């Protein structure tokens, strides 16, 4: 009876087709995903709609890290190098916000099966990246209205926003990965 009900975790990457990819195919997929991340992050130069595309830079990094942690790290650094060449103004934002969230979520998907653990890991890493830029580097990542002096209330709001944002990206990344790589969900088969 227990087997029929399916006592399986909600999301298991090891059931996907990408585990059978050769190293070359993984490298090509990771490079293409890094190129997409670079394009999305560079779209921020176009005010308005460009910002909407800019937040999509998280998705390619998440997907590459979900395929393989090494591939995710490679895609993350390749995107940083491409941004350095194409759009140097984004070099502070991507490594500590959208890219860092993507990498941390992808790694969390490989390490844990719990949605809560994945969300918290991604949210805390994102909050740490934002706080590092804001208070250590003194880069106005949240705009000029947020002070560079430490305030507990600001830190709390950043943490809550980061956890919510991580939760949204965790759910979205999971669905996109399932669609793109056709994960066979054992629960649906029983």
């Amino acid at each position: 009876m227990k087997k029929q009900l399916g006592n399986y975790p909600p999301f298991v990457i090891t059931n996907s087709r990408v585990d059978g990819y050769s190293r070359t195919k993984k490298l090509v997929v990771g490079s293409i995903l890094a190129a997409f991340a670079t394009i999305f992050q560079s779209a921020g130069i176009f005010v308005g709609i460009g910002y909407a595309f800019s937040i999509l830079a998280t998705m390619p990094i998440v997907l590459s890290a979900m395929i393989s942690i090494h591939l995710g790290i490679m895609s993350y650094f390749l995107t940083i190098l491409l941004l350095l060449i194409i759009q140097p103004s984004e070099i502070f934002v991507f490594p500590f916000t959208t890219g860092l969230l993507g990498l941390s979520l992808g790694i969390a998907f490989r390490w844990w099966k719990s949605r809560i653990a994945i969300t918290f890991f991604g949210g805390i890493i994102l909050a740490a990246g934002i706080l590092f830029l804001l208070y250590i580097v003194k880069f106005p990542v949240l705009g000029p209205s947020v002070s560079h002096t430490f305030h507990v209330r600001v830190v709390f709001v950043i943490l809550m926003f980061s956890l919510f944002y991580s939760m949204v990206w965790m759910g979205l990344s999971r669905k996109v990965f399932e669609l793109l790589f056709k994960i066979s969900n054992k629960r649906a088969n029983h």
Side-chain angles (χ1 to χ4, degrees):
M1 179 75 173
K2 201 174 199 182
K3 191 172 183 178
Q4 286 179 332
L5 291 176
N7 192 12
Y8 300 106
F11 187 68
V12 180
I13 292 180
T14 56
N15 292 338
S16 68
R17 287 188 192 171
V18 295
D19 286 338
Y21 282 5
S22 68
R23 295 179 109 187
T24 304
K25 193 168 188 177
K26 285 181 181 180
L27 186 64
V28 170
V29 169
S31 299
I32 291 170
L33 288 171
F36 275 115
T38 304
I39 292 167
F40 288 142
Q41 190 68 36
S42 297
I45 196 168
F46 303 111
V47 180
I49 192 74
Y51 291 131
F53 284 113
S54 180
I55 64 172
L56 293 177
T58 301
M59 183 60 69
I61 303 301
V62 174
L63 294 176
S64 62
M66 288 171 81
I67 293 169
S68 162
I69 293 175
H70 296 293
L71 186 66
I73 293 168
M74 184 222 50
S75 296
Y76 174 75
F77 284 110
L78 180 58
T79 304
I80 292 170
L81 289 175
L82 289 171
L83 282 171
L84 190 60
I85 296 166
I86 297 171
Q87 188 72 14
S89 63
E90 294 291 326
I91 204 65
F92 278 116
V93 178
F94 178 81
F96 298 103
T97 58
T98 53
L100 191 60
L101 175 64
L103 186 60
S104 62
L105 282 176
I107 289 171
F109 270 114
R110 297 296 292 186
W111 284 350
W112 298 296
K113 293 169 181 59
S114 167
R115 294 177 187 184
I116 294 171
I118 295 168
T119 299
F120 269 93
F121 185 74
I124 289 170
I125 297 294
L126 175 62
I130 292 171
L131 293 173
F132 176 79
L133 280 178
L134 193 61
Y135 294 126
I136 306 296
V137 179
K138 307 283 188 197
F139 183 78
V141 69
L142 300 176
S145 62
V146 178
S147 173
H148 295 295
T149 58
F150 185 82
H151 294 289
V152 175
R153 192 178 318 152
V154 173
V155 172
F156 180 75
V157 169
I158 290 171
L159 182 61
M160 289 297 108
F161 169 77
S162 298
L163 289 172
F164 174 75
Y165 196 67
S166 176
M167 181 183 67
V168 169
W169 273 108
M170 185 272 308
L172 186 62
S173 301
R174 181 175 172 250
K175 292 293 181 191
V176 170
F177 191 84
E178 287 175 347
L179 288 172
L180 288 178
F181 298 106
K182 304 201 186 313
I183 292 179
S184 59
N185 192 348
K186 291 182 181 180
R187 193 179 295 181
N189 294 333
H190 292 311

